[in-house]
Amino acid sequence: MAPLQAAVVILLQLMLHQAAGREVFLPMGTLYRVAGFPLSLPCAVTGYEGARTQDFEWFLHREDANGRQMGIVSTRDQGFPYAPYQGRVRSGEVRVERDSGDKARLVVQRLRPEDQGKYECYTPSTDTSYQGNYSASVVVKVIPDTLQISYTRALTGQPLPEGAGLTLTCSAGVQSKEHTHLSIMFGKRGGDSGGGEGVSTLREIIALDRLLGVTPGSSQAYRKRYEDGEITLEKRNGAAGVDTYVVRMRAVKPEDSGSYFCEAAQWILDPDGSWQRIAQRTLEIGNLTVQRLAESMTVTSTPSGRVSLQAGSPLTLTCQVSGLPGGGTSGLLVQWLKRGSLPGDAVAAGAGGVEVEVARMGPGGVVRWGDDLSRGTGGALEMVTEGRYALRLFSARPSDSGVYRCAVSVYAGRKNPAPSAPATFSQRSEGVSVNLKTKEVLVSAVAQLPRGPLLKRGSTVTLLCNVTVTTTGPAQVQVLWLRRPIPEPLITKGDPADAAALLPAGPPSAVATLTYEGMAQLFTNGSEVSVDRVSAVTYRLRVHAASLEDQGLYVCRAEVWGQDPHGGWYNTQAKDESPAVTVYLYARAADLLLIPLVIGVSSALFVGIVIISTITCCFMNRLARQRPVK
């Protein structure tokens, strides 16, 4: 049944086709087109017989010739054009373009005012009988060209640093009696397209369509930048119907290099409901070259080379950043880094040491200090002027010696980047060697255990540390007490006198510190200790109710702190550690008597229990034998 149904359908179509006959179609009119711009009239024929390739002929009934018919162009007769169109047809300005065998279009490359009139598309018959219509016509009105386009500022061609802002302006308007709409498009030719050298590219950046809708370019890159707010388009109403359109690119990238243009188009809504572009003009704005930050940016620090100053003197290091994009659209992370901490030629030359962060200023202007948090009150990191940052240490210490470098990271187009956002480019300055001169300081420390009775568990252990300091000017001493365990073999032999000779017996543990300010810091867990200063040169450590965990090899470590001219204290790095003193705790007499007492009491209890158990057992057995038998 299926083949039969298909045959019936085909037969019906043929019958309808023959009944309808030939039919020619042109767009609905009236059509309005602009002088000086192209006209394209598509013509189609259906319901014909014969060859699939049909011929087309176009006529114009001009209004200024009282509707007289003029031949324009034909697909079958080269001599068909009338005199006014012969030259234009020969030059190709007026021509026929085929879309298919039964569809062709009349193209007039540049309309003239005299081209206004009624256009007729005629299809010579290839049918066996004359049936249907063989032509169609449409009225075309040629309106004056009033499309205007201009710019207020062209690109100068000067290189623009990566991350700088770019503003493109274009003014456009149209003065038409007909109801037309205007669209604006900004685009770029050339630049990095990823297609290799020698490839000419044209990219649409952003546009305002005929219905006043903003649309980004078709490329993913421009679409993403538009969504992120990096590219915007603004319309500003102007006088006499000429408005200004402003495109802002927050931060240009190297791939933004190229030739920029603005394109204005005039649109009209045809009677068939389709929008047609009837006029268009393109204006070249200029060329742009984006200079990479790696080529334009420089970071320098001053003073340069080597800096020597006395401890306690103020230290100022300046970081100068140049070649950055202007406008404040990019965020900067400025860091001061230091390698080495001791004065000396090797460290000053950057030959060793670990590089640490001294301070940083984030893109938001917040200053954060590195590991040495005390610098937050003894220094400052500030922006002196645009691109110039100063690190100030109000009172430099010997530990501030080292090689300083300024590191700058640029976040192009991102004034407040996310903490995890990668920087566009980073660069460091050359190193500045800072050497702090200190006055000569000599220090020696000797720990001793005062003479007295044997140290026993539970008693108070007293240790003294005698510190001798030779220097000029005010000085304070900070004493740290350390303890190491006694080697196990000596504890087993019960002869701890030579324990100190076996140092180190293990990692030391901090017991207590008496700071140069006189504050005590205790580190032991469970033990009661105290530290104090008993004289100008003697420091004391006391362990109260000492236990087995408190015995060991004790040393005192003395550090000398000097005073700078501003009254601040700094570590002179002068230190000394005393020889070890052995603290061994003997058992008390009460502990020795307790052992036999416990053993005696335990033995007596055991013997008593055995005797009572034996007597009870024998008595019960005898009582059982004496009972009479019933």
Side-chain angles (χ1 to χ4, degrees), residues 253-302:
K253 301 180 179 181
E255 55 266 29
D256 291 327
S257 297
S259 175
Y260 285 77
F261 64 91
C262 171
E263 181 181 278
Q266 184 181 3
W267 298 77
I268 195 168
L269 185 64
D270 278 353
D272 62 0
S274 64
W275 283 96
Q276 299 296 325
R277 182 168 52 187
I278 58 177
Q280 176 180 307
R281 275 198 171 82
T282 301
L283 181 69
E284 299 296 329
I285 301 177
N287 295 321
L288 173 67
T289 300
V290 179
Q291 189 176 28
R292 296 179 182 271
L293 284 174
E295 301 171 355
S296 64
M297 176 178 161
T298 58
V299 180
T300 56
S301 54
T302 54

Side-chain angles (χ1 to χ4, degrees), residues 232-266:
T232 60
L233 173 58
E234 175 190 0
K235 177 187 176 184
R236 299 175 181 173
N237 294 330
V242 178
D243 300 326
T244 301
Y245 302 85
V246 182
V247 169
R248 287 190 175 88
M249 302 176 71
R250 192 166 65 191
V252 295
K253 301 180 179 181
E255 55 266 29
D256 291 327
S257 297
S259 175
Y260 285 77
F261 64 91
C262 171
E263 181 181 278
Q266 184 181 3

Side-chain angles (χ1 to χ4, degrees), residues 185-188 203-207 215-217 222 231 249 260:
M185 188 270 285
F186 288 83
K188 177 180 75 72
R203 287 187 174 185
E204 178 181 326
I205 300 173
I206 195 170
T215 57
Y222 285 126
I231 299 179
M249 302 176 71
Y260 285 77

Side-chain angles (χ1 to χ4, degrees), residues 59-62 65 67-71 82 120:
F59 297 90
L60 172 61
H61 302 265
R62 292 173 55 172
R68 183 169 57 90
Q69 186 183 63
M70 300 177 60
Y82 280 31
E120 179 184 357

Side-chain angles (χ1 to χ4, degrees), residues 1-314:
M1 292 296 294
L4 181 59
Q5 291 177 349
V8 171
V9 171
I10 294 175
L11 182 60
L12 289 174
Q13 289 178 344
L14 289 175
M15 292 174 64
L16 291 173
H17 175 72
Q18 291 179 354
R22 178 183 294 259
E23 199 166 0
V24 179
F25 298 94
L26 276 176
M28 297 173 59
T30 300
L31 302 180
Y32 292 89
R33 298 297 183 261
V34 177
F37 292 93
L39 166 68
S40 177
L41 284 179
C43 183
V45 58
T46 62
Y48 57 87
E49 297 177 2
R52 294 185 61 85
T53 300
Q54 295 288 297
D55 284 314
F56 295 84
E57 294 177 348
W58 270 270
F59 297 90
L60 172 61
H61 302 265
R62 292 173 55 172
E63 294 181 353
D64 60 352
N66 297 321
R68 183 169 57 90
Q69 186 183 63
M70 300 177 60
I72 301 176
V73 66
S74 170
T75 59
R76 66 174 181 173
D77 185 4
Q78 293 185 353
F80 179 80
Y82 280 31
Y85 289 97
Q86 290 177 359
R88 297 171 72 182
V89 171
R90 282 195 301 268
S91 66
E93 180 188 343
V94 178
R95 61 186 183 273
V96 177
E97 294 182 356
R98 279 192 179 273
D99 297 330
S100 64
D102 53 10
K103 293 179 182 178
R105 63 181 61 241
L106 170 67
V107 176
V108 180
Q109 196 65 35
R110 293 177 59 86
L111 271 178
R112 301 175 182 177
E114 57 266 26
D115 291 331
Q116 178 171 295
K118 183 173 69 173
Y119 284 79
E120 179 184 357
C121 174
Y122 173 75
T123 59
S125 176
T126 59
D127 307 329
T128 56
S129 62
Y130 191 88
Q131 195 169 11
N133 65 76
Y134 288 76
S135 67
S137 60
V138 62
V139 175
V140 175
K141 297 286 188 179
V142 180
I143 60 178
D145 176 16
T146 59
L147 179 61
Q148 304 176 44
I149 184 171
S150 62
Y151 57 78
T152 57
R153 183 176 58 187
L155 295 176
T156 61
Q158 293 293 327
L160 200 63
E162 179 181 1
L166 176 65
T167 300
L168 304 173
T169 60
C170 179
S171 298
V174 63
Q175 303 287 335
S176 176
K177 295 180 180 180
E178 308 303 326
H179 182 71
T180 59
H181 289 206
L182 188 68
S183 68
I184 298 292
M185 188 270 285
F186 288 83
K188 177 180 75 72
R189 300 186 187 90
D192 183 12
S193 63
E197 296 183 0
V199 179
S200 178
T201 60
L202 189 148
R203 287 187 174 185
E204 178 181 326
I205 300 173
I206 195 170
L208 185 71
D209 64 25
R210 56 184 175 268
L211 299 179
L212 299 181
V214 178
T215 57
S218 57
S219 71
Q220 185 63 31
Y222 285 126
R223 195 171 291 274
K224 179 69 167 55
R225 292 169 72 179
Y226 171 75
E227 292 172 353
D228 293 343
E230 296 183 8
I231 299 179
T232 60
L233 173 58
E234 175 190 0
K235 177 187 176 184
R236 299 175 181 173
N237 294 330
V242 178
D243 300 326
T244 301
Y245 302 85
V246 182
V247 169
R248 287 190 175 88
M249 302 176 71
R250 192 166 65 191
V252 295
K253 301 180 179 181
E255 55 266 29
D256 291 327
S257 297
S259 175
Y260 285 77
F261 64 91
C262 171
E263 181 181 278
Q266 184 181 3
W267 298 77
I268 195 168
L269 185 64
D270 278 353
D272 62 0
S274 64
W275 283 96
Q276 299 296 325
R277 182 168 52 187
I278 58 177
Q280 176 180 307
R281 275 198 171 82
T282 301
L283 181 69
E284 299 296 329
I285 301 177
N287 295 321
L288 173 67
T289 300
V290 179
Q291 189 176 28
R292 296 179 182 271
L293 284 174
E295 301 171 355
S296 64
M297 176 178 161
T298 58
V299 180
T300 56
S301 54
T302 54
S304 60
R306 186 182 181 92
V307 177
S308 296
L309 64 158
Q310 294 290 337
S313 302

